[in-house]
Amino acid sequence: MSEVILHNTLSRSSEPIAPSKGNRIGMYCCGPTVYAQAHIGNFRTFLSQDVMRRTLQIAGYNVFHVRNLTDVDDKTIKRSREEGKPLSEVTEHWTEVFHRDCQRFNMLAPQVEPKATEHIQEQIEMIASLLKKGNAYQTEDGSVYFKVTSFDEYGRLSRLKERELTTTEADESPNDADEYDRESLADFAMWKSRKPDDGDVYWESPWGEGRPGWHLECSAMAMKYLGNHLDIHSGGEDLIFPHHENEIAQSECSCGTRFFRYWIHCAHLLVEGGKMSKSLNNFYTIDDIAEKGFAPVVLRYALTSGAYRQTINFTMDSLHAAQSALGRLRRFSEDSLSAVGLKWGALMKAIQKGKHADDSWGPFQKAWDALRTDLNTAGALGGIFSVIKEQGSGGSRNSQNATEIAIAFHKLIFALGYDLSEVVVEKPKTETPEEIKELAQARWEAKQSKDWAAADDLRDQIQSKGWKILDRQDGFDLETL
Ligand code: AMP
Ligand code: ZN
């Protein structure tokens, strides 16, 4: 079991993660709004959550991952109206596309993926309890708003007080939009009465026909699926305010207990130096990148190789760099596996099932320490590449603890989520000179007869001629240095 440290937005400091109960970590991630294909910025956040889950798993925790699908809100309704299609047809289509993209990115599926439209009753119950406790009020049109002044701690997550905003200065008029400005402090809608623009998207409630506000679904579904394990809650940094602030207010007032202890936020992705968003239409999807000839694993590398709390700038150049870095990882993987007779698929499955859960990292200790310290993926990759450089690709064949090295390397690759079997490496083809073949054969025979001094001497001779021996269990390969 290793300690994992994450930066908690709530305390603005790095904290060791401790499950609230037993060994299980409840992790709630705000999922996609299914009205269009998720762009690579959205996936930067989803991928960083995938790395977080994998890292916690490798550290020895039993992670229970919930990620919702926002299938009713202002944006989904607008899209269904524009396309003249029923809301469910639009959201089901984009949900399928999202699942396909997640698979291509080699993301682990959450244990539960609840939909907002399938949890209307739970949301209505939460509103009813807030009305009863005096944290909410109904307006004449049948909408229900959360009263921000009723919750003393409103603003705890986004530090409103530091920005000299207090709830007593809340806007006079309540806000019924799902998304609103960072500086706009207003009572927000939990139940929106039916409007003509909503068409046939409405549900019956004690307050008449209408639909829930966006913030409410995450409160209700997180409580339902993780009520006893409110550990990690995560999303992109744009969700800190108002979405997560509002979730905390609704949930804590309704249940009287703390709503999640660790709040983890991923910084945004810029594209060629600029902000990207669905509304600005300057975003790339996994398909756009595939069309340019890059496999999803290459895009995954480009999106995850920078530390998640730093804004990163996506460029086409970063894909070329990712491609060559992955090629080096794949070669090391192949060499280290064949040296000890292990197979990629079987080893990765075993790691996923927790079969190599011991904490032995050998030369990869530094890389693992970087990863478990606020998911420093850049540091982890740096650590991996320095081992590869030190050992030379295939160096682990000659190492006494070749098995430990192969397993530790692949545990890191699992945590980073790189499916190296998808990486295409073109090996330079060079004819091996007869002289080198003979020296290598002589070395093999020396090794068989356990004449280590002669074997080492022959290896040095081969290396001095610019060639390198890669040992397999049943023979050897040769490649240029
Ligand atoms: P949405 O589908 O708009 O609800 O967003 C899904 C996730 O993507 C949320 O966690 C957002 O915070 C996150 N997100 C949106 N834009 C970006 C971006 N440019 N970079 C990183 N994450 C983003
Ligand atoms: Zn949410």
Side-chain angles (χ1 to χ4, degrees):
M1 196 87 165
S2 306
E3 187 175 72
V4 174
I5 294 165
L6 294 173
H7 180 87
N8 188 355
T9 308
L10 202 54
S11 62
R12 301 292 195 272
S13 63
S14 297
E15 295 178 28
I17 300 298
S20 42
K21 272 200 192 114
N23 183 40
R24 181 170 165 139
I25 292 192
M27 170 171 146
Y28 187 95
C29 301
C30 293
T33 309
V34 278
Y35 75 113
Q37 186 170 9
H39 57 57
I40 60 173
N42 301 136
F43 271 109
R44 178 187 190 199
T45 292
F46 296 134
L47 286 167
S48 74
Q49 292 160 343
D50 189 53
V51 172
M52 174 160 69
R53 168 173 168 188
R54 287 164 174 270
T55 302
L56 287 164
Q57 224 166 289
I58 290 294
Y61 296 105
N62 172 12
V63 184
F64 192 80
H65 179 194
V66 179
R67 186 183 60 218
N68 68 301
L69 291 164
T70 297
D71 62 349
V72 57
D73 78 327
D74 296 350
K75 291 189 284 197
T76 43
I77 291 176
K78 182 162 175 262
R79 182 56 52 97
S80 94
R81 209 174 53 236
E82 282 163 1
E83 294 185 358
K85 291 181 185 157
L87 180 69
S88 60
E89 195 180 321
V90 172
T91 58
E92 275 163 27
H93 169 72
W94 292 115
T95 299
E96 261 173 46
V97 172
F98 178 68
H99 286 158
R100 186 205 62 187
D101 290 354
C102 289
Q103 266 185 5
R104 288 157 86 197
F105 271 124
N106 194 34
M107 285 163 58
L108 298 175
Q111 277 86 350
V112 187
E113 201 176 35
K115 293 179 178 172
T117 53
E118 289 174 2
H119 295 79
I120 301 294
Q121 193 49 39
E122 287 83 349
Q123 297 179 72
I124 288 178
E125 281 164 20
M126 192 171 260
I127 298 171
S129 83
L130 289 167
L131 276 167
K132 208 164 150 199
K133 292 182 175 184
N135 298 104
Y137 58 90
Q138 197 178 346
T139 50
E140 266 178 19
D141 70 349
S143 297
V144 182
Y145 286 85
F146 184 89
K147 192 164 148 191
V148 293
T149 51
S150 74
F151 182 46
D152 280 348
E153 294 198 55
Y154 192 81
R156 188 173 79 217
L157 182 70
S158 53
R159 306 256 164 128
L160 289 176
K161 285 194 182 115
E162 279 171 23
R163 288 187 281 131
E164 293 176 352
L165 285 166
T166 61
T167 47
T168 49
E169 296 163 50
D171 291 354
E172 292 284 295
S173 49
N175 196 334
D176 76 344
D178 280 335
E179 292 181 59
Y180 51 89
D181 188 43
R182 224 179 142 65
E183 302 302 319
S184 146
L185 194 58
D187 293 349
F188 57 89
M190 293 189 294
W191 187 259
K192 303 183 185 202
S193 66
R194 188 177 174 190
K195 304 269 176 340
D197 274 354
D198 292 344
D200 61 359
V201 181
Y202 70 91
W203 288 265
E204 299 290 345
S205 82
W207 317 286
E209 293 171 348
R211 61 181 169 102
W214 169 42
H215 313 294
L216 192 63
E217 65 177 89
C218 290
S219 286
M221 296 190 287
M223 294 303 296
K224 173 163 179 176
Y225 294 103
L226 292 174
N228 294 321
H229 296 272
L230 296 169
D231 299 316
I232 297 177
H233 197 119
S234 160
E237 61 185 356
D238 58 307
L239 298 190
I240 298 174
F241 186 87
H243 185 54
H244 287 162
E245 198 71 75
N246 293 354
E247 278 188 44
I248 292 174
Q250 295 160 149
S251 312
E252 296 199 356
C253 290
S254 142
C255 304
T257 51
R258 272 275 136 117
F259 183 63
F260 289 96
R261 293 173 305 138
Y262 309 104
W263 290 80
I264 314 297
H265 293 99
C266 179
H268 267 195
L269 178 81
L270 300 179
V271 172
E272 310 285 355
K275 187 176 184 297
M276 79 183 299
S277 79
K278 285 173 189 168
S279 52
L280 292 175
N281 213 28
N282 67 343
F283 61 87
Y284 291 122
T285 65
I286 189 173
D287 291 327
D288 300 322
I289 304 301
E291 261 173 36
K292 294 181 195 298
F294 294 99
V297 62
V298 178
L299 181 55
R300 177 171 178 126
Y301 189 99
L303 295 175
T304 55
S305 50
Y308 77 98
R309 283 203 301 125
Q310 275 164 23
T311 303
I312 57 169
N313 186 26
F314 176 81
T315 61
M316 286 300 150
D317 269 356
S318 64
L319 291 171
H320 290 287
Q323 178 98 57
S324 79
L326 282 166
R328 288 166 68 202
L329 293 178
R330 171 152 184 167
R331 289 185 69 184
F332 189 83
S333 163
E334 283 177 359
D335 292 344
S336 65
L337 291 174
S338 73
V340 292
L342 288 171
K343 292 265 176 297
W344 161 265
L347 178 59
M348 292 314 268
K349 260 199 203 119
I351 290 173
Q352 177 162 8
K353 285 191 182 148
K355 288 220 172 108
H356 297 288
D358 59 86
D359 211 9
S360 73
W361 292 95
F364 290 106
Q365 185 68 50
K366 244 179 140 172
W368 170 241
D369 287 344
L371 195 60
R372 68 187 186 83
T373 308
D374 207 20
L375 312 177
N376 180 358
T377 46
L381 286 164
I384 293 174
F385 284 119
S386 70
V387 174
I388 293 182
K389 202 167 155 208
E390 237 164 62
Q391 305 229 338
S393 120
S396 64
R397 289 158 185 265
N398 302 321
S399 163
Q400 281 187 333
N401 37 2
T403 305
E404 184 196 33
I405 288 178
I407 292 175
F409 172 79
H410 286 89
K411 274 161 69 174
L412 285 165
I413 294 299
F414 173 83
L416 293 162
Y418 301 144
D419 182 356
L420 296 179
S421 68
E422 288 217 341
V423 174
V424 184
V425 210
E426 281 159 20
K427 286 195 181 166
K429 288 202 172 43
T430 320
E431 200 56 41
T432 315
E434 274 313 307
E435 182 200 1
I436 304 293
K437 283 189 198 160
E438 279 164 21
L439 286 170
Q441 185 57 34
R443 177 180 171 269
W444 175 251
E445 283 159 18
K447 258 188 85 175
Q448 296 301 96
S449 52
K450 301 201 181 343
D451 184 352
W452 306 118
D456 283 351
D457 182 50
L458 284 158
R459 192 191 56 215
D460 290 347
Q461 283 188 50
I462 293 165
Q463 284 197 348
S464 70
K465 292 175 195 297
W467 286 79
K468 188 167 65 179
I469 299 188
L470 305 175
D471 286 328
R472 293 196 314 269
Q473 271 191 332
D474 54 351
F476 57 88
D477 294 319
L478 283 162
E479 68 175 33
T480 47
L481 276 174

